[in-house]
PDB file of all heavy atoms in Angstrom:
ATOM      1  N   TYR E   1      -2.986   0.106 -12.915  1.00 88.00           N
ATOM      2  CA  TYR E   1      -2.525   1.441 -12.521  1.00 88.00           C
ATOM      3  C   TYR E   1      -2.459   2.386 -13.724  1.00 88.00           C
ATOM      4  O   TYR E   1      -2.908   3.535 -13.651  1.00 88.00           O
ATOM      5  CB  TYR E   1      -1.154   1.339 -11.852  1.00 88.00           C
ATOM      6  CG  TYR E   1      -0.513   2.672 -11.582  1.00 88.00           C
ATOM      7  CD1 TYR E   1      -0.925   3.455 -10.506  1.00 88.00           C
ATOM      8  CD2 TYR E   1       0.511   3.160 -12.407  1.00 88.00           C
ATOM      9  CE1 TYR E   1      -0.334   4.680 -10.255  1.00 88.00           C
ATOM     10  CE2 TYR E   1       1.107   4.388 -12.156  1.00 88.00           C
ATOM     11  CZ  TYR E   1       0.672   5.148 -11.094  1.00 88.00           C
ATOM     12  OH  TYR E   1       1.253   6.366 -10.839  1.00 88.00           O
ATOM     13  N   ARG E   2      -1.950   1.893 -14.847  1.00 86.00           N
ATOM     14  CA  ARG E   2      -1.840   2.745 -16.025  1.00 86.00           C
ATOM     15  C   ARG E   2      -3.202   3.060 -16.628  1.00 86.00           C
ATOM     16  O   ARG E   2      -3.434   4.173 -17.118  1.00 86.00           O
ATOM     17  CB  ARG E   2      -0.936   2.077 -17.075  1.00 86.00           C
ATOM     18  CG  ARG E   2       0.520   2.032 -16.672  1.00 86.00           C
ATOM     19  CD  ARG E   2       1.405   1.779 -17.865  1.00 86.00           C
ATOM     20  NE  ARG E   2       1.271   2.860 -18.846  1.00 86.00           N
ATOM     21  CZ  ARG E   2       1.901   2.872 -20.013  1.00 86.00           C
ATOM     22  NH1 ARG E   2       2.655   1.839 -20.349  1.00 86.00           N
ATOM     23  NH2 ARG E   2       1.759   3.872 -20.849  1.00 86.00           N
ATOM     24  N   LEU E   3      -4.115   2.085 -16.608  1.00 83.00           N
ATOM     25  CA  LEU E   3      -5.469   2.360 -17.088  1.00 83.00           C
ATOM     26  C   LEU E   3      -6.117   3.459 -16.265  1.00 83.00           C
ATOM     27  O   LEU E   3      -6.732   4.403 -16.803  1.00 83.00           O
ATOM     28  CB  LEU E   3      -6.310   1.087 -17.013  1.00 83.00           C
ATOM     29  CG  LEU E   3      -6.197   0.098 -18.167  1.00 83.00           C
ATOM     30  CD1 LEU E   3      -6.906  -1.209 -17.810  1.00 83.00           C
ATOM     31  CD2 LEU E   3      -6.804   0.680 -19.436  1.00 83.00           C
ATOM     32  N   ARG E   4      -6.004   3.357 -14.945  1.00 81.00           N
ATOM     33  CA  ARG E   4      -6.606   4.358 -14.064  1.00 81.00           C
ATOM     34  C   ARG E   4      -5.919   5.713 -14.211  1.00 81.00           C
ATOM     35  O   ARG E   4      -6.571   6.770 -14.206  1.00 81.00           O
ATOM     36  CB  ARG E   4      -6.510   3.873 -12.627  1.00 81.00           C
ATOM     37  CG  ARG E   4      -7.217   4.782 -11.620  1.00 81.00           C
ATOM     38  CD  ARG E   4      -8.707   4.795 -11.851  1.00 81.00           C
ATOM     39  NE  ARG E   4      -9.381   5.697 -10.937  1.00 81.00           N
ATOM     40  CZ  ARG E   4      -9.880   5.332  -9.748  1.00 81.00           C
ATOM     41  NH1 ARG E   4      -9.744   4.076  -9.358  1.00 81.00           N
ATOM     42  NH2 ARG E   4     -10.476   6.189  -8.971  1.00 81.00           N
ATOM     43  N   GLN E   5      -4.606   5.681 -14.400  1.00 80.00           N
ATOM     44  CA  GLN E   5      -3.856   6.933 -14.520  1.00 80.00           C
ATOM     45  C   GLN E   5      -4.161   7.636 -15.833  1.00 80.00           C
ATOM     46  O   GLN E   5      -4.359   8.862 -15.866  1.00 80.00           O
ATOM     47  CB  GLN E   5      -2.361   6.646 -14.406  1.00 80.00           C
ATOM     48  CG  GLN E   5      -1.495   7.897 -14.390  1.00 80.00           C
ATOM     49  CD  GLN E   5      -0.027   7.549 -14.270  1.00 80.00           C
ATOM     50  OE1 GLN E   5       0.477   6.690 -15.014  1.00 80.00           O
ATOM     51  NE2 GLN E   5       0.684   8.180 -13.361  1.00 80.00           N
ATOM     52  N   ASP E   6      -4.238   6.878 -16.926  1.00 75.00           N
ATOM     53  CA  ASP E   6      -4.453   7.497 -18.238  1.00 75.00           C
ATOM     54  C   ASP E   6      -5.890   7.973 -18.419  1.00 75.00           C
ATOM     55  O   ASP E   6      -6.135   8.999 -19.054  1.00 75.00           O
ATOM     56  CB  ASP E   6      -4.111   6.500 -19.350  1.00 75.00           C
ATOM     57  CG  ASP E   6      -2.617   6.204 -19.423  1.00 75.00           C
ATOM     58  OD1 ASP E   6      -1.853   6.898 -18.718  1.00 75.00           O
ATOM     59  OD2 ASP E   6      -2.225   5.314 -20.167  1.00 75.00           O
ATOM     60  N   LEU E   7      -6.864   7.214 -17.882  1.00 71.00           N
ATOM     61  CA  LEU E   7      -8.266   7.551 -18.098  1.00 71.00           C
ATOM     62  C   LEU E   7      -8.887   8.312 -16.936  1.00 71.00           C
ATOM     63  O   LEU E   7      -9.964   8.887 -17.091  1.00 71.00           O
ATOM     64  CB  LEU E   7      -9.085   6.274 -18.361  1.00 71.00           C
ATOM     65  CG  LEU E   7      -8.657   5.452 -19.583  1.00 71.00           C
ATOM     66  CD1 LEU E   7      -9.513   4.201 -19.693  1.00 71.00           C
ATOM     67  CD2 LEU E   7      -8.756   6.280 -20.865  1.00 71.00           C
ATOM     68  N   GLY E   8      -8.237   8.286 -15.772  1.00 70.00           N
ATOM     69  CA  GLY E   8      -8.766   9.002 -14.617  1.00 70.00           C
ATOM     70  C   GLY E   8      -9.867   8.259 -13.884  1.00 70.00           C
ATOM     71  O   GLY E   8     -10.375   8.766 -12.881  1.00 70.00           O
ATOM     72  N   ARG E   9     -10.245   7.096 -14.345  1.00 72.00           N
ATOM     73  CA  ARG E   9     -11.312   6.302 -13.720  1.00 72.00           C
ATOM     74  C   ARG E   9     -11.228   4.884 -14.289  1.00 72.00           C
ATOM     75  O   ARG E   9     -10.496   4.642 -15.238  1.00 72.00           O
ATOM     76  CB  ARG E   9     -12.685   6.893 -14.041  1.00 72.00           C
ATOM     77  CG  ARG E   9     -12.948   7.005 -15.540  1.00 72.00           C
ATOM     78  CD  ARG E   9     -14.299   7.613 -15.852  1.00 72.00           C
ATOM     79  NE  ARG E   9     -14.469   7.833 -17.281  1.00 72.00           N
ATOM     80  CZ  ARG E   9     -14.842   6.895 -18.143  1.00 72.00           C
ATOM     81  NH1 ARG E   9     -15.094   5.677 -17.688  1.00 72.00           N
ATOM     82  NH2 ARG E   9     -14.983   7.157 -19.423  1.00 72.00           N
ATOM     83  N   PHE E  10     -12.004   3.980 -13.696  1.00 70.00           N
ATOM     84  CA  PHE E  10     -12.109   2.657 -14.285  1.00 70.00           C
ATOM     85  C   PHE E  10     -13.080   2.716 -15.454  1.00 70.00           C
ATOM     86  O   PHE E  10     -14.238   3.109 -15.283  1.00 70.00           O
ATOM     87  CB  PHE E  10     -12.609   1.641 -13.257  1.00 70.00           C
ATOM     88  CG  PHE E  10     -11.571   1.236 -12.260  1.00 70.00           C
ATOM     89  CD1 PHE E  10     -11.740   1.518 -10.914  1.00 70.00           C
ATOM     90  CD2 PHE E  10     -10.428   0.566 -12.664  1.00 70.00           C
ATOM     91  CE1 PHE E  10     -10.777   1.142  -9.993  1.00 70.00           C
ATOM     92  CE2 PHE E  10      -9.463   0.189 -11.746  1.00 70.00           C
ATOM     93  CZ  PHE E  10      -9.638   0.486 -10.406  1.00 70.00           C
ATOM     94  N   PRO E  11     -12.648   2.345 -16.644  1.00 70.00           N
ATOM     95  CA  PRO E  11     -13.524   2.462 -17.816  1.00 70.00           C
ATOM     96  C   PRO E  11     -14.565   1.361 -17.857  1.00 70.00           C
ATOM     97  O   PRO E  11     -14.436   0.329 -17.183  1.00 70.00           O
ATOM     98  CB  PRO E  11     -12.537   2.310 -18.981  1.00 70.00           C
ATOM     99  CG  PRO E  11     -11.455   1.445 -18.426  1.00 70.00           C
ATOM    100  CD  PRO E  11     -11.318   1.800 -16.970  1.00 70.00           C
ATOM    101  N   PRO E  12     -15.622   1.522 -18.641  1.00 72.00           N
ATOM    102  CA  PRO E  12     -16.622   0.463 -18.801  1.00 72.00           C
ATOM    103  C   PRO E  12     -15.953  -0.812 -19.357  1.00 72.00           C
ATOM    104  O   PRO E  12     -15.122  -0.754 -20.257  1.00 72.00           O
ATOM    105  CB  PRO E  12     -17.605   1.053 -19.806  1.00 72.00           C
ATOM    106  CG  PRO E  12     -17.427   2.536 -19.689  1.00 72.00           C
ATOM    107  CD  PRO E  12     -15.973   2.753 -19.365  1.00 72.00           C
ATOM    108  N   GLY E  13     -16.322  -1.940 -18.818  1.00 76.00           N
ATOM    109  CA  GLY E  13     -15.769  -3.199 -19.266  1.00 76.00           C
ATOM    110  C   GLY E  13     -14.555  -3.634 -18.482  1.00 76.00           C
ATOM    111  O   GLY E  13     -14.104  -4.784 -18.621  1.00 76.00           O
ATOM    112  N   PHE E  14     -14.011  -2.763 -17.660  1.00 82.00           N
ATOM    113  CA  PHE E  14     -12.868  -3.149 -16.837  1.00 82.00           C
ATOM    114  C   PHE E  14     -12.981  -2.351 -15.528  1.00 82.00           C
ATOM    115  O   PHE E  14     -12.598  -1.202 -15.475  1.00 82.00           O
ATOM    116  CB  PHE E  14     -11.541  -2.862 -17.541  1.00 82.00           C
ATOM    117  CG  PHE E  14     -10.377  -3.545 -16.895  1.00 82.00           C
ATOM    118  CD1 PHE E  14     -10.042  -4.837 -17.259  1.00 82.00           C
ATOM    119  CD2 PHE E  14      -9.638  -2.924 -15.919  1.00 82.00           C
ATOM    120  CE1 PHE E  14      -8.982  -5.499 -16.657  1.00 82.00           C
ATOM    121  CE2 PHE E  14      -8.563  -3.563 -15.315  1.00 82.00           C
ATOM    122  CZ  PHE E  14      -8.231  -4.851 -15.688  1.00 82.00           C
ATOM    123  N   ALA E  15     -13.525  -2.996 -14.520  1.00 82.00           N
ATOM    124  CA  ALA E  15     -13.860  -2.333 -13.269  1.00 82.00           C
ATOM    125  C   ALA E  15     -13.347  -3.164 -12.096  1.00 82.00           C
ATOM    126  O   ALA E  15     -12.701  -4.192 -12.297  1.00 82.00           O
ATOM    127  CB  ALA E  15     -15.385  -2.133 -13.190  1.00 82.00           C
ATOM    128  N   PRO E  16     -13.608  -2.741 -10.863  1.00 87.00           N
ATOM    129  CA  PRO E  16     -13.176  -3.558  -9.711  1.00 87.00           C
ATOM    130  C   PRO E  16     -13.668  -5.002  -9.750  1.00 87.00           C
ATOM    131  O   PRO E  16     -13.019  -5.879  -9.188  1.00 87.00           O
ATOM    132  CB  PRO E  16     -13.781  -2.784  -8.527  1.00 87.00           C
ATOM    133  CG  PRO E  16     -13.808  -1.375  -8.976  1.00 87.00           C
ATOM    134  CD  PRO E  16     -14.112  -1.435 -10.448  1.00 87.00           C
ATOM    135  N   ARG E  17     -14.797  -5.247 -10.411  1.00 90.00           N
ATOM    136  CA  ARG E  17     -15.274  -6.641 -10.513  1.00 90.00           C
ATOM    137  C   ARG E  17     -14.277  -7.505 -11.276  1.00 90.00           C
ATOM    138  O   ARG E  17     -14.016  -8.653 -10.890  1.00 90.00           O
ATOM    139  CB  ARG E  17     -16.626  -6.680 -11.205  1.00 90.00           C
ATOM    140  CG  ARG E  17     -17.205  -8.059 -11.320  1.00 90.00           C
ATOM    141  CD  ARG E  17     -18.624  -8.016 -11.868  1.00 90.00           C
ATOM    142  NE  ARG E  17     -18.655  -7.441 -13.207  1.00 90.00           N
ATOM    143  CZ  ARG E  17     -19.774  -7.272 -13.907  1.00 90.00           C
ATOM    144  NH1 ARG E  17     -20.941  -7.600 -13.375  1.00 90.00           N
ATOM    145  NH2 ARG E  17     -19.735  -6.750 -15.104  1.00 90.00           N
ATOM    146  N   GLN E  18     -13.694  -6.993 -12.372  1.00 92.00           N
ATOM    147  CA  GLN E  18     -12.704  -7.748 -13.116  1.00 92.00           C
ATOM    148  C   GLN E  18     -11.435  -7.964 -12.287  1.00 92.00           C
ATOM    149  O   GLN E  18     -10.819  -9.036 -12.333  1.00 92.00           O
ATOM    150  CB  GLN E  18     -12.359  -7.022 -14.416  1.00 92.00           C
ATOM    151  CG  GLN E  18     -13.321  -7.255 -15.555  1.00 92.00           C
ATOM    152  CD  GLN E  18     -14.680  -6.621 -15.307  1.00 92.00           C
ATOM    153  OE1 GLN E  18     -14.745  -5.501 -14.808  1.00 92.00           O
ATOM    154  NE2 GLN E  18     -15.735  -7.305 -15.677  1.00 92.00           N
ATOM    155  N   ILE E  19     -11.048  -6.952 -11.528  1.00 92.00           N
ATOM    156  CA  ILE E  19      -9.862  -7.087 -10.678  1.00 92.00           C
ATOM    157  C   ILE E  19     -10.081  -8.156  -9.628  1.00 92.00           C
ATOM    158  O   ILE E  19      -9.199  -8.979  -9.339  1.00 92.00           O
ATOM    159  CB  ILE E  19      -9.520  -5.724 -10.033  1.00 92.00           C
ATOM    160  CG1 ILE E  19      -9.219  -4.684 -11.110  1.00 92.00           C
ATOM    161  CG2 ILE E  19      -8.348  -5.857  -9.072  1.00 92.00           C
ATOM    162  CD1 ILE E  19      -9.039  -3.283 -10.569  1.00 92.00           C
ATOM    163  N   ALA E  20     -11.273  -8.177  -9.036  1.00 94.00           N
ATOM    164  CA  ALA E  20     -11.583  -9.187  -8.020  1.00 94.00           C
ATOM    165  C   ALA E  20     -11.597 -10.595  -8.623  1.00 94.00           C
ATOM    166  O   ALA E  20     -11.100 -11.549  -7.992  1.00 94.00           O
ATOM    167  CB  ALA E  20     -12.934  -8.879  -7.379  1.00 94.00           C
ATOM    168  N   CYS E  21     -12.133 -10.745  -9.843  1.00 95.00           N
ATOM    169  CA  CYS E  21     -12.146 -12.069 -10.491  1.00 95.00           C
ATOM    170  C   CYS E  21     -10.727 -12.561 -10.744  1.00 95.00           C
ATOM    171  O   CYS E  21     -10.411 -13.735 -10.509  1.00 95.00           O
ATOM    172  CB  CYS E  21     -12.930 -11.996 -11.805  1.00 95.00           C
ATOM    173  SG  CYS E  21     -14.719 -11.894 -11.607  1.00 95.00           S
ATOM    174  N   PHE E  22      -9.862 -11.673 -11.226  1.00 96.00           N
ATOM    175  CA  PHE E  22      -8.475 -12.069 -11.481  1.00 96.00           C
ATOM    176  C   PHE E  22      -7.775 -12.451 -10.188  1.00 96.00           C
ATOM    177  O   PHE E  22      -7.049 -13.462 -10.126  1.00 96.00           O
ATOM    178  CB  PHE E  22      -7.721 -10.944 -12.189  1.00 96.00           C
ATOM    179  CG  PHE E  22      -6.270 -11.255 -12.425  1.00 96.00           C
ATOM    180  CD1 PHE E  22      -5.875 -12.026 -13.507  1.00 96.00           C
ATOM    181  CD2 PHE E  22      -5.284 -10.786 -11.544  1.00 96.00           C
ATOM    182  CE1 PHE E  22      -4.548 -12.322 -13.727  1.00 96.00           C
ATOM    183  CE2 PHE E  22      -3.949 -11.078 -11.763  1.00 96.00           C
ATOM    184  CZ  PHE E  22      -3.579 -11.841 -12.852  1.00 96.00           C
ATOM    185  N   ALA E  23      -7.974 -11.668  -9.129  1.00 95.00           N
ATOM    186  CA  ALA E  23      -7.317 -11.953  -7.857  1.00 95.00           C
ATOM    187  C   ALA E  23      -7.801 -13.289  -7.286  1.00 95.00           C
ATOM    188  O   ALA E  23      -6.979 -14.088  -6.808  1.00 95.00           O
ATOM    189  CB  ALA E  23      -7.599 -10.834  -6.860  1.00 95.00           C
ATOM    190  N   LEU E  24      -9.102 -13.545  -7.361  1.00 96.00           N
ATOM    191  CA  LEU E  24      -9.622 -14.800  -6.842  1.00 96.00           C
ATOM    192  C   LEU E  24      -9.148 -15.988  -7.675  1.00 96.00           C
ATOM    193  O   LEU E  24      -8.786 -17.031  -7.124  1.00 96.00           O
ATOM    194  CB  LEU E  24     -11.150 -14.757  -6.811  1.00 96.00           C
ATOM    195  CG  LEU E  24     -11.880 -15.970  -6.239  1.00 96.00           C
ATOM    196  CD1 LEU E  24     -11.394 -16.277  -4.823  1.00 96.00           C
ATOM    197  CD2 LEU E  24     -13.383 -15.762  -6.260  1.00 96.00           C
ATOM    198  N   GLY E  25      -9.137 -15.836  -8.992  1.00 96.00           N
ATOM    199  CA  GLY E  25      -8.654 -16.913  -9.843  1.00 96.00           C
ATOM    200  C   GLY E  25      -7.189 -17.236  -9.580  1.00 96.00           C
ATOM    201  O   GLY E  25      -6.806 -18.416  -9.539  1.00 96.00           O
ATOM    202  N   THR E  26      -6.369 -16.206  -9.396  1.00 96.00           N
ATOM    203  CA  THR E  26      -4.961 -16.428  -9.109  1.00 96.00           C
ATOM    204  C   THR E  26      -4.775 -17.095  -7.751  1.00 96.00           C
ATOM    205  O   THR E  26      -3.941 -17.998  -7.594  1.00 96.00           O
ATOM    206  CB  THR E  26      -4.213 -15.088  -9.138  1.00 96.00           C
ATOM    207  OG1 THR E  26      -4.385 -14.461 -10.422  1.00 96.00           O
ATOM    208  CG2 THR E  26      -2.721 -15.297  -8.894  1.00 96.00           C
ATOM    209  N   ALA E  27      -5.548 -16.667  -6.755  1.00 96.00           N
ATOM    210  CA  ALA E  27      -5.461 -17.277  -5.416  1.00 96.00           C
ATOM    211  C   ALA E  27      -5.825 -18.763  -5.482  1.00 96.00           C
ATOM    212  O   ALA E  27      -5.200 -19.600  -4.811  1.00 96.00           O
ATOM    213  CB  ALA E  27      -6.369 -16.548  -4.444  1.00 96.00           C
ATOM    214  N   LEU E  28      -6.816 -19.113  -6.289  1.00 96.00           N
ATOM    215  CA  LEU E  28      -7.204 -20.522  -6.419  1.00 96.00           C
ATOM    216  C   LEU E  28      -6.118 -21.337  -7.112  1.00 96.00           C
ATOM    217  O   LEU E  28      -5.924 -22.518  -6.807  1.00 96.00           O
ATOM    218  CB  LEU E  28      -8.511 -20.622  -7.186  1.00 96.00           C
ATOM    219  CG  LEU E  28      -9.748 -20.118  -6.429  1.00 96.00           C
ATOM    220  CD1 LEU E  28     -10.977 -20.128  -7.321  1.00 96.00           C
ATOM    221  CD2 LEU E  28     -10.009 -20.946  -5.172  1.00 96.00           C
ATOM    222  N   LEU E  29      -5.397 -20.722  -8.059  1.00 95.00           N
ATOM    223  CA  LEU E  29      -4.267 -21.413  -8.673  1.00 95.00           C
ATOM    224  C   LEU E  29      -3.176 -21.698  -7.646  1.00 95.00           C
ATOM    225  O   LEU E  29      -2.544 -22.755  -7.675  1.00 95.00           O
ATOM    226  CB  LEU E  29      -3.714 -20.583  -9.827  1.00 95.00           C
ATOM    227  CG  LEU E  29      -4.536 -20.531 -11.103  1.00 95.00           C
ATOM    228  CD1 LEU E  29      -3.829 -19.687 -12.156  1.00 95.00           C
ATOM    229  CD2 LEU E  29      -4.811 -21.924 -11.656  1.00 95.00           C
ATOM    230  N   VAL E  30      -2.932 -20.739  -6.766  1.00 94.00           N
ATOM    231  CA  VAL E  30      -1.932 -20.940  -5.707  1.00 94.00           C
ATOM    232  C   VAL E  30      -2.359 -22.103  -4.809  1.00 94.00           C
ATOM    233  O   VAL E  30      -1.549 -22.971  -4.452  1.00 94.00           O
ATOM    234  CB  VAL E  30      -1.750 -19.638  -4.887  1.00 94.00           C
ATOM    235  CG1 VAL E  30      -0.879 -19.902  -3.665  1.00 94.00           C
ATOM    236  CG2 VAL E  30      -1.114 -18.562  -5.753  1.00 94.00           C
ATOM    237  N   ILE E  31      -3.642 -22.145  -4.452  1.00 94.00           N
ATOM    238  CA  ILE E  31      -4.145 -23.231  -3.603  1.00 94.00           C
ATOM    239  C   ILE E  31      -4.007 -24.571  -4.321  1.00 94.00           C
ATOM    240  O   ILE E  31      -3.618 -25.583  -3.737  1.00 94.00           O
ATOM    241  CB  ILE E  31      -5.597 -22.967  -3.204  1.00 94.00           C
ATOM    242  CG1 ILE E  31      -5.674 -21.740  -2.284  1.00 94.00           C
ATOM    243  CG2 ILE E  31      -6.215 -24.184  -2.531  1.00 94.00           C
ATOM    244  CD1 ILE E  31      -7.087 -21.295  -1.970  1.00 94.00           C
ATOM    245  N   ALA E  32      -4.324 -24.586  -5.614  1.00 93.00           N
ATOM    246  CA  ALA E  32      -4.308 -25.846  -6.355  1.00 93.00           C
ATOM    247  C   ALA E  32      -2.897 -26.367  -6.592  1.00 93.00           C
ATOM    248  O   ALA E  32      -2.687 -27.594  -6.573  1.00 93.00           O
ATOM    249  CB  ALA E  32      -5.026 -25.664  -7.693  1.00 93.00           C
ATOM    250  N   LEU E  33      -1.929 -25.477  -6.799  1.00 92.00           N
ATOM    251  CA  LEU E  33      -0.621 -25.903  -7.274  1.00 92.00           C
ATOM    252  C   LEU E  33       0.511 -25.755  -6.273  1.00 92.00           C
ATOM    253  O   LEU E  33       1.551 -26.402  -6.429  1.00 92.00           O
ATOM    254  CB  LEU E  33      -0.271 -25.119  -8.542  1.00 92.00           C
ATOM    255  CG  LEU E  33      -1.221 -25.311  -9.722  1.00 92.00           C
ATOM    256  CD1 LEU E  33      -0.850 -24.372 -10.863  1.00 92.00           C
ATOM    257  CD2 LEU E  33      -1.224 -26.753 -10.190  1.00 92.00           C
TER     258      LEU E  33
END
């Protein structure tokens, strides 16, 4: 939220793809543990 608020957009190197990877990785940790 702060990255988007300060820059007004998703900057190069940190985009919805990174958010999706983090969300999926966290969901798999929940399933595993």
